[in-house]
Amino acid sequence: MADHDSIPTSEQTSGATNLPNLGEFRMTRQRREVYDVLMSRHDHPSASEVFVQVKDQMPSISLATVYNCLETMTQCGLVKQVNMDREPSRYCANLKEHAHFYCHACGEVSDIEVNAFERLDEAFQVPTGADVTRFEVTIRGTCKTCKTADAKI
Amino acid sequence: MADHDSIPTSEQTSGATNLPNLGEFRMTRQRREVYDVLMSRHDHPSASEVFVQVKDQMPSISLATVYNCLETMTQCGLVKQVNMDREPSRYCANLKEHAHFYCHACGEVSDIEVNAFERLDEAFQVPTGADVTRFEVTIRGTCKTCKTADAKI
DNA sequence: GTGAATGCAAAACCTTTGCAACTGG
DNA sequence: CCAGTTGCAAAGGTTTTGCATTCAC
């Protein structure tokens, strides 16, 4: 994990939905660190959560830079921004098409495999004449842990 | 449209997914006006867009009150809050289960009918042991208007 | 070398909150 | 009557921005 050489190139990511366009991407120490942190976690941290962890390795980094890095990487398609309601944006490095499960009790977000993303449009009456770029699916509910904890109260 | 008597009671809305709980709901002039504005539009206005329109009818109303009204009505299940990325929250009075289409060119949000919402869970590997409350589906792309406009440039 | 990225602080933005005055049931 | 709601202004938290400095290519 967190291997510097694991940053995908345009060629390597041809399986992903949005090909990263890394043409003008300048690899700074800050960006590398931010990306590494994101790669090492599967819990969709927010910018400030990333900031806290990166600051450990690089005390001089500023929060604004973390925001800039995450923004740039999102534009490049290197990471994905995940927004839940009005909560702070979260970020994830899982480029594979997937849905999200959101537990409204603990606020945790987890990735969900999709069995047939491509057949999703059958279920929806997409406006005629519109170009569909992508489906975004969030499943809301209570995770196993919170359900159990709640039952014990 | 915008009929004051059209505000649903708990009994009338038994078909909706979340039954409005209007027990403690006090119908003030402000709330009625906010609700009317929302009922009269199908374009998912934000709080300040609602504010502008309500202020027309009721110049003394404050933005904070509009926020309060919308929040309360969302809690009651009278309206739905729709969040797109980091944009201001939008609101809609369409209580029927539906998905949203978001045009990233013009930023408009439109409702999408769902043919088989209940069979959606077949397509996703929902975490075992979790309780699913609801599916939220956003389809992103370019609407017909923007697609056409773009082609002309 | 040079344009892009950083770090800092300040601003922008949407939304919530505290509190006195008001009002719907 | 009186708990709940309003209006105002001020605060809150997240994200962006301006600008001088630094750095990657």
Side-chain angles (χ1 to χ4, degrees), chain B residues 27-129:
Chain B
M27 181 53 69
T28 64
R29 292 182 305 122
Q30 290 84 346
R31 285 176 179 175
R32 176 161 292 173
E33 204 61 56
V34 166
Y35 185 76
D36 281 357
V37 164
L38 221 46
M39 282 294 281
S40 73
R41 301 177 59 156
H42 291 166
D43 61 341
H44 306 77
S46 65
S48 46
E49 285 168 341
V50 171
F51 174 61
V52 167
Q53 197 174 336
V54 170
K55 211 172 170 56
D56 244 42
Q57 307 290 319
M58 185 184 288
S60 66
I61 199 171
S62 75
L63 178 57
T65 296
V66 172
Y67 271 106
N68 286 337
C69 292
L70 291 169
E71 161 71 9
T72 307
M73 289 170 155
T74 301
Q75 300 296 350
C76 292
L78 215 50
V79 307
K80 279 186 179 169
Q81 191 185 55
V82 180
N83 296 301
M84 290 290 167
D85 305 333
R86 298 259 96 218
E87 291 177 13
S89 292
R90 299 148 180 266
Y91 298 85
C92 80
N94 176 3
L95 292 179
K96 209 177 144 200
E97 189 118 36
H98 62 278
H100 288 113
F101 179 82
Y102 176 69
C103 173
H104 52 68
C106 63
E108 261 190 36
V109 174
S110 49
D111 288 353
I112 291 187
E113 295 270 336
V114 183
N115 297 327
F117 234 125
E118 70 281 356
R119 255 182 275 154
L120 231 51
D121 49 359
E122 290 173 12
F124 302 96
Q125 299 184 1
V126 176
T128 46

Side-chain angles (χ1 to χ4, degrees), chain A residues 86-87 133 136 138 140, chain B residues 86-87 115 133 136 138 140:
Chain A
R86 298 260 97 218
E87 292 176 12
T133 305
E136 200 175 277
T138 303
R140 292 164 178 275
Chain B
R86 298 259 96 218
E87 291 177 13
N115 297 327
T133 304
E136 200 174 277
T138 303
R140 293 165 176 273

